[in-house]
Amino acid sequence: MVLVKLNVGGETFLTTEETITKEPDSMLSRMFKGEWETPCQQDEEGRFFIDRDGSTFKHILAYLRAPEQADFGGRLSDWEHHQLLADANFFLSSQLHFNWARCLK
C-alpha cells in the first residue's frame, strides 16, 4: 500500500494511491499517474498541493473511499452544496460527477 499525503487548500489529508486512482478517468487518478497536463506540485513538507477548498475535499475523498455510503443530502449549506458540485466537476469524471450529484439530493 502506497500512502499519499495531500495539502488541499491548506488542509492535510492522508489516503492511499489506490483510493486516489480508483476512478481511472478522474482528474485525481490522471494526476497521480502522470497523465495530468500540469505536474503535481509539492509543498515544503512533501505533500502534494492542490489549490482547492480542503473543507469540501473531505467529502470527495469519502466518496472515493465508499461511494455506496455517500449521502450528503440535507446536511449541507447552500454554499457547501454549490462548492461540492464545483469540486466534483473538477476532481471527478463526468460519470462520477453525475453519481455525486445524486448523493447531494
Side-chain angles (χ1 to χ4, degrees), residues 85-100:
L85 285 175
D87 282 350
N89 189 48
F90 178 76
F91 286 116
L92 306 174
S93 67
S94 58
Q95 180 60 41
L96 284 176
H97 182 240
F98 173 79
N99 291 340
W100 177 257

Side-chain angles (χ1 to χ4, degrees), residues 67-102:
E68 68 283 352
Q69 296 176 7
D71 181 10
F72 305 109
R75 297 185 301 176
L76 304 171
S77 69
D78 287 343
W79 180 88
E80 288 172 313
H81 184 253
H82 175 76
Q83 189 62 40
L84 276 170
L85 285 175
D87 282 350
N89 189 48
F90 178 76
F91 286 116
L92 306 174
S93 67
S94 58
Q95 180 60 41
L96 284 176
H97 182 240
F98 173 79
N99 291 340
W100 177 257
R102 173 191 51 78

Side-chain angles (χ1 to χ4, degrees):
M1 173 180 6
V2 176
L3 295 179
V4 177
K5 293 179 183 179
L6 301 167
N7 172 348
V8 183
E11 291 193 40
T12 300
F13 296 90
L14 182 63
T15 189
T16 65
E17 187 175 288
E18 179 182 3
T19 297
I20 290 293
T21 61
K22 185 180 281 183
E23 299 297 337
D25 294 331
S26 72
M27 168 270 193
L28 288 169
S29 181
R30 292 191 328 257
M31 178 187 289
F32 284 91
K33 290 180 179 175
E35 300 168 358
W36 189 245
E37 56 267 12
T38 307
C40 293
Q41 298 294 316
Q42 292 180 286
D43 68 12
E44 62 281 350
E45 294 183 29
R47 299 173 295 207
F48 292 100
F49 178 74
I50 301 173
D51 192 16
R52 299 295 284 198
D53 190 329
S55 67
T56 56
F57 184 75
K58 65 183 175 189
H59 299 298
I60 300 288
L61 197 53
Y63 176 79
L64 288 171
R65 287 175 174 149
E68 68 283 352
Q69 296 176 7
D71 181 10
F72 305 109
R75 297 185 301 176
L76 304 171
S77 69
D78 287 343
W79 180 88
E80 288 172 313
H81 184 253
H82 175 76
Q83 189 62 40
L84 276 170
L85 285 175
D87 282 350
N89 189 48
F90 178 76
F91 286 116
L92 306 174
S93 67
S94 58
Q95 180 60 41
L96 284 176
H97 182 240
F98 173 79
N99 291 340
W100 177 257
R102 173 191 51 78
C103 296
L104 294 174
K105 292 184 180 182

